[in-house]
Amino acid sequence: MTTYGVPLMKHTFLHEAETKKALATFILNSERLSMGAECEAFENKFALFQERKHAILFNSGGSANLAMIQALKNLEKIKQDDKAGFSAITWSTNTMPLIQLGLQSIPLDCDKQTLNLSSKILLEALKEHNFKLLFLTNVLGLTGDLDRIKEICDEKDIIILEDNCESLGSELPSGKAGNFSLASSFSFFVAHHMSTIEGGMVCTDDDSLAEMLKIVRANGWDRNLNEHQKKKWRERFDIQSAFQASYTFYDLGYNLRPTEITGFLGQYQMQFLQENIKIREQNFKKIQNAVNQNSDFFPLDFKHMNLVSGFAFPFVCKNADLRMKYIEKFNISGIEIRPLIAGNMQRQPFYQKYDKHIYQLPGADFIHDCAFYSGNYPELSVEDMQLILNCIN
Ligand SMILES: Cc1ncc(COP(=O)(O)O)c(C=O)c1O
């Protein structure tokens, strides 16, 4: 295994030693480790932080994405074969549930200066497609012009879901990334803004969607709903006793439950979240200043944002040859790098197997061929930052 001087991340947790010790004590003193009070307490804290009415915890960000789509189908807000536009620059398990759950998935290009979908690209796509759903991704802490995108979707009755797994803490003047949609997903996998080892969340202000997400999360049953909600489902289906209700399954679901370890870790890590977002932002700005001095790189545009909170530094080279040059420089310097997420999703083998129609997406192709990223986290030392800066200066 290659060891890097500057890996994508150095630790599993923010304040690693302290967190591991607290986790060990928690496990030793816990009678229950399956989903319960710790998960609920984390949900409540996270909803407060994100300024959303509901937060529903899952065992991963990918599960959160799957659950959002399944819940919308269960509620009949979207149907089989409805058209769903999605950001072509995204993660596999953002796109896969669209295919798995029988929607027509239409990839949307990105603005190469923001790495994100823009209202201009959306308006162009709307000339050809009648979307019921827009599943956009806020890429590596950056966003598109979400206000305008939301306005357009509100006008046309298009449901927006936001995959905010890479942008926890990012802010626009009109609100936090993740709050421009009916629901948004978050990931707490190692190397994201905060880690619960594995874990994910959905945030929403919609009561019926939050309720359905809890049904989808746990087998299709009502066990994790409140008493009022349980009564409603039981009356609707004429369930006569608590005995019968315990194994009654109301709609399509999975087992996507987190554990109390996830709930405990989430709460513990949240105390460091704000501080860690601030450091990531400062790091990002330092790197961007250097990038802007080097004509080999395409400058990023984040003027429309108040705060950029990414777990990685995106680098967009002006062409593929230059990317090769910088990949080599980073490798020689021992800085771990990755492609810019999955590139143009249409170029992934799974996508070509299930969707034969390929759209022309010049922005996403450019990012696919010319971009890469390295890790951005609070433990980057002055020397680590200097090593990265030396590669781009
Ligand atoms: C945009 C995006 N969505 C979803 C996910 C999936 O999250 P998880 O690894 O928690 O399943 C990731 C993972 O990095 C991601 O970058």
Side-chain angles (χ1 to χ4, degrees), residues 60-62 65 90-91 93 137 163 165-166 187-189 192 199 341:
S60 75
N65 283 345
T90 186
W91 187 250
T93 53
T137 298
D163 183 330
C165 290
E166 301 186 355
S187 167
F188 309 122
F189 180 58
H192 284 247
I341 349 183

Side-chain angles (χ1 to χ4, degrees), residues 112-130:
K112 43 191 190 191
Q113 281 195 285
T114 65
L115 309 176
N116 274 275
L117 175 68
S118 67
S119 57
K120 191 165 160 234
I121 292 166
L122 176 63
L123 283 171
E124 210 43 51
L126 283 170
K127 289 181 188 162
E128 201 184 329
H129 303 290
N130 201 358

Side-chain angles (χ1 to χ4, degrees), residues 34-318:
S34 59
M35 188 175 78
E38 295 293 331
C39 290
E40 203 176 323
F42 177 31
E43 290 175 337
N44 292 337
K45 281 194 179 132
F46 196 81
L48 262 179
F49 173 86
Q50 186 59 30
E51 295 159 14
R52 287 279 225 173
K53 191 168 176 191
H54 304 282
I56 299 98
L57 185 59
F58 287 87
N59 57 10
S60 75
S63 299
N65 283 345
L66 173 65
M68 288 196 293
I69 310 289
Q70 184 69 64
L72 287 180
K73 277 197 86 181
N74 289 358
L75 292 168
E76 296 175 13
K77 287 181 188 286
I78 51 172
K79 295 193 292 298
Q80 178 86 17
D81 293 325
D82 276 350
K83 280 193 175 180
F86 71 96
S87 309
I89 300 287
T90 186
W91 187 250
S92 60
T93 53
N94 169 290
T95 311
M96 285 175 179
L98 299 174
I99 297 173
Q100 287 156 333
L101 296 177
L103 296 165
Q104 282 188 59
S105 54
I106 315 285
L108 296 169
D109 207 4
C110 72
D111 171 343
K112 43 191 190 191
Q113 281 195 285
T114 65
L115 309 176
N116 274 275
L117 175 68
S118 67
S119 57
K120 191 165 160 234
I121 292 166
L122 176 63
L123 283 171
E124 210 43 51
L126 283 170
K127 289 181 188 162
E128 201 184 329
H129 303 290
N130 201 358
F131 295 130
K132 282 299 291 178
L133 174 69
L134 172 65
F135 195 1
L136 61 83
T137 298
N138 297 322
V139 177
L140 295 181
L142 298 163
T143 74
D145 53 343
L146 291 175
D147 305 82
R148 182 67 193 121
I149 289 174
K150 184 171 178 335
E151 244 172 52
I152 295 166
C153 289
D154 285 349
E155 261 167 40
K156 298 193 178 292
D157 225 9
I158 299 168
I159 295 169
I160 307 179
L161 295 178
E162 253 175 304
D163 183 330
N164 205 45
C165 290
E166 301 186 355
S167 302
L168 170 58
S170 285
E171 284 181 26
L172 284 84
S174 49
K176 292 188 172 193
N179 290 357
F180 291 80
S181 49
L182 178 63
S184 52
S185 59
F186 298 82
S187 167
F188 309 122
F189 180 58
V190 180
H192 284 247
H193 301 73
M194 55 176 256
S195 142
T196 58
I197 311 171
E198 296 277 5
M201 193 77 88
V202 175
C203 285
T204 181
D205 296 324
D206 187 287
D207 295 339
S208 60
L209 181 58
E211 181 180 345
M212 185 52 79
L213 283 161
K214 289 182 182 174
I215 291 175
V216 168
R217 175 174 66 179
N219 309 313
W221 66 28
D222 69 6
R223 213 173 288 184
N224 310 106
L225 304 184
N226 65 35
E227 290 313 311
H228 168 75
Q229 291 167 330
K230 281 180 187 164
K231 189 162 175 283
K232 181 186 68 185
W233 283 96
R234 289 172 194 187
E235 279 176 7
R236 191 182 299 169
F237 290 91
D238 196 24
I239 308 300
Q240 299 288 342
S241 66
F243 174 74
Q244 193 190 351
S246 61
Y247 279 177
T248 299
F249 306 99
Y250 297 94
D251 212 327
L252 298 183
Y254 310 87
N255 181 357
L256 308 174
R257 285 176 301 199
T259 68
E260 286 293 77
I261 293 174
T262 328
F264 171 80
L265 283 170
Q267 292 173 79
Y268 203 86
Q269 290 286 280
M270 275 198 78
Q271 59 180 315
F272 312 124
L273 182 58
Q274 203 62 58
E275 162 211 352
N276 129 76
I277 286 172
K278 218 160 76 193
I279 301 171
R280 286 174 203 259
E281 190 201 19
Q282 286 162 359
N283 288 345
F284 173 77
K285 283 186 172 158
K286 274 185 207 151
I287 298 291
Q288 278 312 301
N289 281 340
V291 162
N292 289 341
Q293 312 298 317
N294 183 338
S295 61
D296 286 350
F297 292 101
F298 208 83
L300 293 173
D301 179 7
F302 47 94
K303 289 189 298 294
H304 58 296
M305 299 183 66
N306 282 358
L307 198 164
V308 177
S309 168
F311 60 74
F313 301 123
F315 297 100
V316 183
C317 301
K318 290 224 170 119

Side-chain angles (χ1 to χ4, degrees), residues 89 110 112 115 316 323 340 343 362-371:
I89 300 287
C110 72
K112 43 191 190 191
L115 309 176
V316 183
R323 180 170 76 163
L340 208 140
D365 276 334
F366 182 77
I367 296 301
H368 193 110
D369 294 327
C370 303

